[in-house]
Amino acid sequence: NAGVIQTPRHKVTGKGQEATLWCEPISGHSAVFWYRQTIVQGLEFLTYFRNQAPIDDSGMPKERFSAQMPNQSHSTLKIQSTQPQDSAVYLCASSLDQGWQNTLYFGAGTRLSVL
Amino acid sequence: GDSVTQTEGLVTLTKGLPVMLNCTYQTTYSPFLFWYVQHLNEAPKLLLKSSTDNKRTEHQGFYATLHKSSSSFHLQKSSVQLSDSALYFCALSDNSGTYQRFGTGTKLQVVP
């Protein structure tokens, strides 16, 4: 089991450009989560899917962020018109299901740097 | 809404000393608490978890006890090692069906 795979590991974009981040969850896991990690805020929830359906996107900045899960093997997080404040590590996690006691298995993250 | 508070941003300790990292939470539902550890340039991974009041949970030398009366789930170890240097996150889930909420994290730095 390769664990949760995130690509790319590092991405550098210019201000105003688009960034797409990819996540491959652990096979058999039905819940996929996206978090953003910064030193100041720690781990901030962005959005999650259960069985590919979007369940809660309350943490997503509405105007420029979007997430999709077109099939059970991958999810994408897209940031349009990136801004310097978007610079962070974006973490994807999966769990067996969305149950409240389930462990999150994280990928190594994508470090986004907006210049 | 739910929240998690970790009061220490950085804890620096000499190898062999005991450590306690603080975690308190707020929820109106039944809580489930987690500690995750993240070593440098690695993914966060589960250290231990619990939903049982007043029962000590242990893993890899670390232990924590959920105290619902004080809404706390502090992480402890009796003797830290250099390899324990990492970022530690406390997280809260509850039976309302929401996602896990994380504290801001505590960086533990163990020096020789």
Side-chain angles (χ1 to χ4, degrees):
Chain A
N1 192 334
V4 176
I5 299 171
Q6 289 190 251
T7 55
R9 288 297 309 276
H10 303 275
K11 186 167 183 68
V12 180
T13 65
K15 181 179 175 181
Q17 292 184 327
E18 181 177 288
T20 299
L21 314 179
W22 296 74
C23 171
E24 180 181 331
I26 293 172
S27 177
H29 283 192
S30 63
V32 173
F33 301 80
W34 285 95
Y35 286 84
R36 176 167 62 182
Q37 182 177 12
T38 60
I39 293 174
V40 174
Q41 299 292 335
L43 285 169
E44 295 177 276
F45 167 79
L46 294 176
T47 186
Y48 83 89
F49 299 83
R50 183 173 67 231
N51 295 321
Q52 300 171 229
I55 303 299
D56 186 342
D57 66 353
S58 60
M60 295 273 275
K62 295 302 180 202
E63 291 185 353
R64 299 181 294 105
F65 285 59
S66 63
Q68 294 183 328
M69 191 162 185
N71 56 60
Q72 64 185 5
S73 63
H74 89 273
S75 175
T76 59
L77 178 68
K78 182 180 292 186
I79 308 172
Q80 295 179 311
S81 184
T82 54
Q83 303 297 310
Q85 61 265 30
D86 299 331
S87 296
V89 176
Y90 290 83
L91 291 168
C92 176
S94 68
S95 68
L96 274 172
D97 61 39
Q98 187 259 329
W100 64 309
Q101 70 273 41
N102 283 316
T103 299
L104 296 182
Y105 295 84
F106 284 90
T110 295
R111 181 176 296 276
L112 176 66
S113 299
V114 182
L115 304 179
Chain B
D2 287 5
S3 65
V4 178
T5 301
Q6 294 181 250
T7 53
E8 309 102 349
L10 172 65
V11 172
T12 301
L13 283 174
T14 301
K15 173 186 171 182
L17 291 180
V19 65
M20 184 171 82
L21 305 183
N22 291 316
C23 173
T24 56
Y25 65 89
Q26 284 190 316
T27 181
T28 55
Y29 296 90
S30 185
F32 204 110
L33 274 296
F34 304 76
W35 276 101
Y36 289 84
V37 58
Q38 184 181 30
H39 287 92
L40 191 62
N41 296 323
E42 294 184 8
K45 59 183 179 182
L46 179 73
L47 184 56
L48 46 81
K49 62 182 181 180
S50 178
S51 64
T52 306
D53 199 11
N54 297 319
K55 181 181 177 182
R56 177 164 152 160
T57 299
E58 299 189 36
H59 186 62
Q60 297 182 337
F62 287 90
Y63 59 95
T65 303
L66 176 61
H67 291 296
K68 293 184 180 180
S69 60
S70 58
S71 299
S72 67
F73 191 59
H74 306 319
L75 182 68
Q76 300 183 72
K77 190 175 187 185
S78 58
S79 175
V80 294
Q81 303 303 308
L82 295 175
S83 58
D84 295 328
S85 295
L87 192 53
Y88 292 81
F89 289 101
C90 183
L92 166 70
S93 182
D94 64 49
N95 61 353
S96 72
T98 187
Y99 52 86
Q100 285 185 30
R101 295 174 190 266
F102 286 79
T104 50
T106 297
K107 182 176 180 179
L108 175 62
Q109 187 172 278
V110 181
V111 298

